[in-house]
Amino acid sequence: MTIRDRAKSVLPTGVRARVRGSLVRYGEWTSDQRPLPDFLIAGTKRGGTTSLWRYLLEHPLVPRLFPAWNTKTSHYFEENWGRGEAWYRSHFPTQRQRRALERKHGGPTRVGEAAPLYMFHPLAPQRVADLLPEVRLIFLLRDPVERAYSHWKERRTEGKEPLEFAEALAREEERTAGERERLVAEPTYFSEAYDWYTYRARGRYLEHLEPWLDRFDREQMLFLPSETLYREPAATYARVLDFLGLPPHQLARFEVFNDRRSSAMDPAVRAELSTYFAPYNDALAERLGMGFDWSRP
């Protein structure tokens, strides 16, 4: 049982709300003692970000966000930009807490968050570059055909998607028309449609990575095929620790989080998506100098 679950089982609703409010205010009051994060897992949605985040939290030198109910992200650089830097800092451990961990475990702490919408949001790259110019960025890139179907399954399960997969793909442009432009024009606007229904658009990875590549040194960025994380979790985890400057750490097991089983994708839809994504995948592989299992249909 998590800290959050224990609190729910013990405290009445009204008391929980007051405790929660007090902790949030405390985080903001002490924000000047809370260093900004060292790393961001910035994408992609349905690409294994939750699994990688959970693995990192098992490292003794990677502390949780504050307060404890925060799972993996503040959503600051997209949904909560208007709340300001003090609010963002309030989510991270204090310098004192970090030093205590470093003394206990004899190594450097690394603090971060995982927010797969950061990669896709048109304003996030510049916002991150302005506030966190030295941050380390991790991008998980999954077969865009499988990613799109998994994205749809998630929305379907959550009751956000009334359409079948083929119809949702066909109506994607209609349902998200003008949303990206509005996000750029209105800095504090948040678009549910842009987050929920962009099954095809999110898989055009290079289109969304170019702004990051333009603003950060390549040495600050780690690109990982999601399939490699699933197939070789221990080796991938070790590579991430090395990238973040953390000492090696062995995990007892590598659980896959947020996996959703379902019926197979319609072969005709799969074929259409594979053909659609092929040129985008080729451009991505060439730009990054990487090979992907799914780079060709």
Side-chain angles (χ1 to χ4, degrees):
M1 181 181 288
T2 66
I3 294 173
R4 184 178 183 180
D5 291 335
R6 286 196 295 271
K8 282 184 176 181
S9 66
V10 174
L11 299 176
T13 301
V15 175
R16 289 204 306 270
R18 290 194 293 274
V19 170
R20 183 184 180 110
S22 296
L23 286 171
V24 170
R25 289 191 294 274
Y26 173 75
E28 293 186 88
W29 291 335
T30 57
S31 62
D32 61 337
Q33 302 168 39
R34 299 176 181 275
L36 289 166
D38 306 294
F39 71 91
L40 302 175
I41 304 175
T44 182
K45 184 172 184 62
R46 307 303 303 163
T49 56
T50 297
S51 294
L52 180 57
W53 173 250
R54 296 286 187 90
Y55 304 158
L56 286 171
L57 282 185
E58 292 192 45
H59 195 289
L61 289 164
V62 180
R64 294 180 62 89
L65 298 183
F66 177 87
W69 62 71
N70 284 310
T71 54
K72 66 177 182 178
T73 183
S74 67
H75 293 291
Y76 178 60
F77 293 105
E78 16 94 347
E79 185 173 358
N80 294 310
W81 178 248
R83 294 178 180 268
E85 183 181 334
W87 181 87
Y88 183 51
R89 284 179 177 269
S90 76
H91 290 77
F92 303 106
T94 63
Q95 185 64 59
R96 181 178 179 181
Q97 291 168 323
R98 293 182 63 155
R99 287 173 180 163
L101 282 177
E102 290 170 355
R103 287 194 300 271
K104 180 178 180 180
H105 298 289
T109 53
R110 293 292 184 264
V111 173
E113 61 169 336
L117 187 53
Y118 286 173
M119 173 178 162
F120 188 54
H121 194 285
L123 299 181
Q126 189 60 55
R127 289 171 174 175
V128 174
D130 289 342
L131 186 61
L132 307 172
E134 304 301 321
V135 75
R136 295 241 149 186
L137 298 162
I138 300 170
F139 298 94
L140 288 158
L141 304 175
R142 183 181 181 183
D143 178 346
V145 177
E146 297 296 340
R147 194 223 65 81
Y149 192 47
S150 181
H151 187 173
W152 172 81
K153 287 189 291 183
E154 179 185 66
R155 293 304 176 222
R156 188 79 162 176
T157 302
E158 294 175 349
K160 308 294 187 184
E161 177 55 89
L163 305 180
E164 295 297 329
F165 187 45
E167 185 180 0
L169 290 170
R171 294 184 55 190
E172 179 174 331
E173 290 191 15
E174 167 198 334
R175 299 167 94 190
T176 61
E179 291 301 289
R180 186 176 179 87
E181 292 76 12
R182 186 176 176 186
L183 287 167
V184 173
E186 302 176 31
T188 59
Y189 174 63
F190 178 74
S191 171
E192 289 182 341
Y194 188 74
D195 184 15
W196 291 354
Y197 304 135
T198 42
Y199 308 116
R200 194 185 298 263
R202 287 203 190 205
R204 300 191 297 263
Y205 294 134
L206 186 55
E207 177 182 319
H208 314 301
L209 288 174
E210 284 289 9
W212 298 93
L213 289 161
D214 289 343
R215 289 165 174 80
F216 293 92
D217 291 339
R218 184 65 183 270
E219 291 73 23
Q220 293 175 247
M221 310 171 81
L222 179 63
F223 301 98
L224 296 170
S226 301
E227 292 76 13
T228 303
L229 173 65
Y230 301 142
R231 185 175 60 245
E232 304 168 11
T236 304
Y237 180 60
R239 185 179 176 191
V240 171
L241 296 185
D242 182 66
F243 174 70
L244 296 178
L246 286 164
H249 181 69
Q250 300 296 320
L251 300 187
R253 60 193 297 263
F254 291 90
E255 182 180 352
V256 176
F257 293 88
N258 289 345
D259 189 26
R260 282 179 165 81
R261 303 295 180 183
S262 69
S263 58
M265 192 188 315
D266 181 275
V269 175
R270 178 182 294 279
E272 187 276 323
L273 283 176
S274 296
T275 300
Y276 173 83
F277 282 121
Y280 297 105
N281 295 342
D282 287 347
L284 174 72
E286 181 176 359
R287 179 72 167 88
L288 299 184
M290 293 176 59
F292 296 93
D293 294 344
W294 37 263
S295 61
R296 295 298 300 174

